[in-house]
Amino acid sequence: MLETSIRTLGASAEVMALKGDLDGAADAMDRALRIAQDATGPQERILIAVAAGMATVCPLQQALRAANAIKRVEDRIGALGSVAAALSRAGRTTEALAPITENELSPTGLRAVAEALVMTGDVDRAVTVAGRDPDPSWGWDAFARALVRADRLDQAYATALFLVTDRPRRDIALLVVAEALAASRRGDQAVEVAEHIADPSCRTQALRAAALAIDDPDRTAELLRRAETAARAIPNPGTRQTELRALALACAERGDLTRALTTPDWAGRITLARQLLKSGRKAQATALLDHAQPRDADDATTLHNAQTPDNDMHADNAGTLHAAQTPDADVAAMLGDVRALDGGLQVDVAVTMAQAGRIDRGVALARAIADRFRREQALARIARSAIEAGRPERAGEILDEAAAAALAVDGADDIRHIRGLAELADALAHAGRREQAGELLRRAELLVHTLYEEQERFEAWRLLAATLGRAGLLDRADVIAAARWPSPWPDLVRALCDIGAYDDAYERTPSIPDPGQRSWALQRVAAGHAQAGRLDQAESIALAIEEAAPRAEALLSVAKARTRSGQLNHAVALLRDAETAARSVTSSRDHDRLLRELVDALLATGRLDQAAELLAQAEAAAHTPAALAAVLIASGQLDRAFRTALDVRDTLEQCGALSSVAEALAATGAPPGRVSQVLLHADATAAQATDPALRVRLRARLARAWAATGDTHRAERTIDELLTESAALPPQATADLAQALSTLGQYDRALALTTDPQTAATVIITMARTGEFTRATDLAHTLPTPQPREWALAEISRAMTVPGPPTGRTSPS
């Protein structure tokens, strides 16, 4: 009865969703989920029932309408494929791809269709489409990538290896497969794929990915060495250097910092250090920047011992590492090395050093930069790093020094000096020193008039308006923005949005003279309000935007925020407005992009992802082949369900599983021959039974399957034989025969056969689906027990709302 209650809520949810009440539908399924979570015993059937209801909570027709409005064929197919894939993952069948006529498609269109079919699980048809590609290598390459995205990695491997005949393209396809296998922690298989790659660059990447997916340190080290050998064979110097840097980073992440320190150039070391900082390995990043190589074996040991994340937290180890790697005598040498670098790279070295915790070392390196603008830039960024590291006093000292030096310079007719002053002012404002920032910006204002080039003056005024805005000096920013042409107002609004001052930004948008720029500025303000949770303000601004493209963008932002807050009906209403705006966009590219985003936003308002998660939970909970087959049928994986059903040992369970597969195939429009083949297996299973009582139950189940799949003659003959031969049928056999009779339209005979309210509800529901609503409703009210009665009435309501069987299901049982 628990499952019946959940199905009742699922039917009610579908009715509400079809009528546009997604909030009510979602609430109903949340209640169903709470019921399921409190249930004891086997979870598969209950989770399947909840998932089926969840999958109905989706504005499907609106999503399909938006997808079909996309002009470019390939993009339209991609959007329809996204809809179909989301439905398929949630266990729903759909005809989303039905409008596509394959014969009229270009090769790119064929590849898009093949990918969409793969994502929906229809691999057989996808193979047929891919095989029609006029360039087989291109077609099979795209097909292999689609298989990777669908997580069908073994099939992708076979496709890339045997069907992609162009060698360079095959290597790239195999690399994609190897990386996907490595991401799935299937390192040994990734190595196997890498062995088939001839191109040294692709082979390097595949071996590196495989190495990082293997838990054995010795094996990992061996694979990284092999990858390095392959990398050194790359003929292009730039590509070779990039791959060697990636390998050095991999070594550092695995603890082999000694090998990483062999990176010969500062650009490589900076790249590695930044990656190490992002992954939380501050000690390794510091060591990498401090010195090129450990000086001897003892220092190498000390370095290795300081590399572990635990040791990063201990000052003693950090001090030991610093002593081992950065003796004072090496400072001059390091400064000499850095002075020889490109100016931008000098800044990177100094700033990354500060981010790694060596703030004083970073300052020393910044001071050594000869170019004044680069020096100011480096000191400003180091000060920001000091603030983020919790050292505001040190940041203040750095900024005082930099500001004093900047103010001591004449800087006439030098746009780079104005940029440096602006960057220092930004850093001072970030440190809470608004007055000092204002002083620098006043100097910058005076210098603008000394610029000879008109374009440089325009750039400087735009920069100053934005910087003053970020510093909170709005009066001066407004004066500049109002007095200059072309108008700096858009830059000021953007800057205010950057710091979250959306109200101040909104107040200034009417001053933007150009309607296009004004509309995009309002879009930025609306999106900011939405992100900050001020949804009513965001919606009001979005709806008032003049131009279509920014209005659609803003409405999408607000709708997504409404979805996140659980206001599904409101979100869908906004997405209708966004669709109207998107359809009126004249640029084909923007028109299609906005509609594609709209499709994704509409799918997100539903519960398709949650339905897919529940089906995954049900699959994990299925501990027998019969239970697994039921889950796979519910999730639409019918080929796998058929194979699983063949593994069921119990005769009755196997016959039931095979019959359910056949019914599901028939419901999805599979060829009759394929359905018959599955039922032949079920019939053969039943024929092996010798126990008379078991044979009755098996034949009754087959009769139900034959009726559901259209073999009415065999169904009627079997029903007549069983009713003639058996005076008293087992309860489940009676239920199967009653359902078979109702499928054949013999409702009176079906109802006369059973006294079980649940079975009677099943018959009544089938009656309602053929349009006999009045009689079905009257009969439903006569059911003696509440759960079957409520379920029948809910399903009748659903049938009155939309014809046909429930979404994603083949029968009411």
Side-chain angles (χ1 to χ4, degrees):
M1 288 301 178
L2 187 63
E3 187 180 341
T4 302
S5 298
I6 290 173
R7 286 182 177 178
T8 302
L9 288 167
S12 300
E14 185 168 4
V15 171
M16 286 186 277
L18 288 167
K19 291 181 178 179
D21 184 8
L22 287 187
D23 287 334
D27 182 62
M29 291 319 302
D30 287 341
R31 278 185 284 145
L33 184 57
R34 288 194 293 271
I35 292 171
Q37 289 169 342
D38 293 336
T40 57
Q43 288 280 300
E44 307 88 55
R45 288 180 63 87
I46 291 174
L47 289 172
I48 289 170
V50 179
M54 287 285 186
T56 66
V57 185
C58 176
L60 175 58
Q61 294 307 315
Q62 192 173 339
L64 290 173
R65 184 178 68 233
N68 280 305
I70 294 174
K71 295 176 182 178
R72 186 170 178 267
V73 174
E74 292 80 4
D75 292 337
R76 181 164 67 250
I77 293 169
L80 290 169
S82 292
V83 176
L87 293 170
S88 178
R89 287 192 299 271
R92 287 185 63 170
T93 56
T94 177
E95 295 298 318
L97 299 174
I100 299 168
T101 306
E102 295 168 17
N103 294 331
E104 301 174 0
L105 293 177
S106 66
T108 308
L110 286 172
R111 292 162 201 156
V113 170
E115 178 174 355
L117 290 168
V118 167
M119 299 309 291
T120 61
D122 194 351
V123 178
D124 291 342
R125 186 178 162 202
V127 168
T128 303
V129 173
R132 292 177 46 213
D133 197 298
D135 185 337
S137 274
W138 267 108
W140 291 119
D141 177 32
F143 183 67
R145 291 168 186 266
L147 289 168
V148 168
R149 283 188 283 274
D151 201 30
R152 295 173 176 264
L153 302 184
D154 294 329
Q155 290 170 292
Y157 177 26
T159 300
L161 185 61
F162 298 114
L163 297 179
V164 181
T165 54
D166 179 76
R167 181 80 254 187
R169 196 169 291 137
R170 184 197 309 161
D171 285 343
I172 295 172
L174 288 170
L175 169 60
V176 171
V177 174
E179 289 179 331
L181 286 166
S184 300
R185 306 304 297 175
R186 295 163 64 180
D188 290 329
Q189 287 173 278
V191 174
E192 179 188 335
V193 175
E195 302 294 354
H196 294 283
I197 298 176
D199 176 71
S201 176
C202 292
R203 186 181 177 86
T204 299
Q205 295 174 66
L207 287 170
R208 172 164 49 85
L212 298 178
I214 289 174
D215 295 327
D216 181 353
D218 293 336
R219 183 89 192 285
T220 295
E222 179 220 336
L223 289 170
L224 289 174
R225 281 192 294 271
R226 288 176 57 191
E228 184 177 352
T229 301
R232 296 193 182 281
I234 297 172
N236 182 282
T239 305
R240 182 170 62 247
Q241 187 179 56
T242 299
E243 291 306 323
L244 287 171
R245 285 179 186 172
L247 284 168
L249 175 61
C251 290
E253 289 177 337
R254 299 293 291 190
D256 187 2
L257 191 56
T258 305
R259 289 186 64 197
L261 286 169
T262 61
T263 303
D265 60 307
W266 270 107
R269 278 186 247 165
I270 289 296
T271 302
L272 294 183
R274 285 177 172 169
Q275 291 296 326
L276 289 167
L277 286 169
K278 284 181 182 179
S279 62
R281 296 173 178 269
K282 196 171 182 180
Q284 289 101 315
T286 305
L288 193 63
L289 293 169
D290 279 348
H291 204 276
Q293 292 272 26
R295 292 178 298 171
D296 53 39
D298 291 337
D299 284 348
T301 302
T302 304
L303 174 62
H304 179 75
N305 291 337
Q307 286 170 17
T308 64
D310 289 340
N311 286 338
D312 285 354
M313 305 303 294
H314 298 293
D316 290 343
N317 285 335
T320 304
L321 176 63
H322 185 222
Q325 286 300 107
T326 57
D328 293 339
D330 287 346
V331 174
M334 181 180 293
L335 292 174
D337 287 344
V338 173
R339 286 193 187 101
L341 300 177
D342 167 77
L345 192 53
Q346 289 178 333
V347 175
D348 288 341
V349 172
V351 173
T352 307
M353 185 71 76
Q355 290 170 343
R358 296 284 194 265
I359 292 175
D360 292 338
R361 180 63 55 83
V363 170
L365 293 171
R367 287 170 177 161
I369 298 173
D371 182 270
R372 186 179 66 246
F373 167 66
R374 297 290 190 189
R375 185 167 62 250
E376 292 167 352
Q377 190 179 54
L379 289 169
R381 294 178 186 179
I382 289 169
R384 282 179 175 268
S385 296
I387 292 170
E388 290 163 7
R391 298 181 61 186
E393 298 84 1
R394 185 69 182 103
E397 293 169 2
I398 296 167
L399 289 171
D400 286 341
E401 174 190 336
L407 290 171
V409 174
D410 176 69
D413 194 19
D414 186 354
I415 184 66
R416 296 173 80 247
H417 185 54
I418 293 174
R419 290 175 190 150
L421 289 169
E423 181 147 10
L424 283 171
D426 262 332
L428 284 162
H430 184 65
R433 299 185 171 207
R434 184 186 297 181
E435 186 175 337
Q436 204 171 352
E439 184 183 356
L440 289 180
L441 292 172
R442 274 191 292 273
R443 170 62 67 86
E445 286 181 53
L446 295 173
L447 291 173
V448 174
H449 300 285
T450 70
L451 296 173
Y452 179 76
E453 295 289 341
E454 182 180 11
Q455 185 60 35
E456 287 187 350
R457 289 196 299 275
F458 171 48
E459 178 195 336
W461 287 125
R462 289 177 58 193
L463 176 63
L464 288 178
T467 309
L468 285 164
R470 283 191 293 272
L473 303 170
L474 296 183
D475 290 342
R476 286 169 60 191
D478 289 343
V479 169
I480 289 175
R484 305 298 161 191
W485 185 264
S487 172
W489 284 114
D491 301 276
L492 176 55
V493 169
R494 236 183 339 263
L496 291 170
C497 288
D498 287 341
I499 62 171
Y502 300 113
D503 290 332
D504 289 332
Y506 179 61
E507 288 175 10
R508 286 157 178 79
T509 52
S511 300
I512 300 175
D514 179 74
Q517 289 186 325
R518 184 166 61 248
S519 294
W520 282 111
L522 286 167
Q523 180 272 327
R524 181 79 182 272
V525 173
H529 277 306
Q531 190 173 9
R534 296 186 287 272
L535 302 186
D536 292 338
Q537 283 176 275
E539 182 176 335
S540 175
I541 293 169
L543 289 169
I545 292 174
E546 302 160 73
E547 297 204 351
R551 183 167 70 254
E553 290 268 19
L555 288 167
L556 280 167
S557 298
V558 182
K560 290 173 183 176
R562 295 278 186 197
T563 298
R564 288 192 296 270
S565 66
Q567 302 173 44
L568 305 184
N569 291 348
H570 204 146
V572 172
L574 287 171
L575 290 172
R576 277 195 290 271
D577 292 332
E579 181 183 355
T580 301
R583 283 172 176 264
S584 66
V585 173
T586 55
S587 164
S588 295
R589 183 173 181 176
D590 288 339
H591 172 276
D592 288 356
R593 176 183 59 80
L594 288 166
L595 285 173
R596 179 58 190 268
E597 288 184 27
L598 178 69
V599 170
D600 292 338
L602 284 164
L603 292 176
T605 63
R607 294 296 181 88
L608 297 177
D609 288 341
Q610 196 168 356
E613 289 172 11
L614 288 169
L615 289 172
Q617 291 175 26
E619 184 174 342
H623 298 304
T624 67
L628 179 58
V631 177
L632 294 172
I633 291 167
S635 60
Q637 302 178 58
L638 301 184
D639 289 338
R640 191 176 159 207
F642 173 60
R643 294 192 299 271
T644 303
L646 293 175
D647 293 334
V648 176
R649 298 292 182 86
D650 181 85
T651 302
L652 184 60
E653 288 185 348
Q654 186 182 67
C655 181
L658 289 167
S659 297
S660 295
V661 171
E663 290 164 354
L665 285 168
T668 59
R674 189 178 175 199
V675 177
S676 298
Q677 183 183 20
V678 176
L679 284 176
L680 280 174
H681 282 279
D683 197 11
T685 299
Q688 295 173 7
T690 56
D691 179 68
L694 178 60
R695 283 182 60 82
V696 167
R697 297 174 68 184
L698 291 166
R699 291 168 67 197
R701 182 64 185 90
L702 281 169
R704 174 181 154 192
W706 284 321
T709 58
D711 193 346
T712 57
H713 176 71
R714 293 190 73 179
E716 288 176 344
R717 187 183 65 194
T718 304
I719 292 168
D720 291 340
E721 289 174 354
L722 287 171
L723 293 177
T724 302
E725 296 169 4
S726 305
L729 293 168
Q732 185 56 51
T734 301
D736 286 334
L737 291 182
Q739 191 165 334
L741 286 165
S742 64
T743 303
L744 296 170
Q746 301 179 35
Y747 306 118
D748 293 332
R749 196 177 173 196
L751 290 169
L753 187 62
T754 181
T755 58
D756 174 52
Q758 187 80 7
T759 304
T762 300
V763 174
I764 292 167
I765 291 166
T766 305
M767 183 187 302
R769 289 176 191 159
T770 62
E772 295 192 34
F773 303 128
T774 303
R775 187 183 177 202
T777 303
D778 292 341
L779 288 169
H781 283 296
T782 67
L783 293 172
T785 50
Q787 287 91 346
R789 181 170 62 247
E790 291 169 3
W791 176 42
L793 290 169
E795 288 286 3
I796 291 167
S797 177
R798 193 214 68 82
M800 294 173 72
T801 306
V802 60
T807 304
R809 287 168 282 170
T810 58
S811 70
S813 66

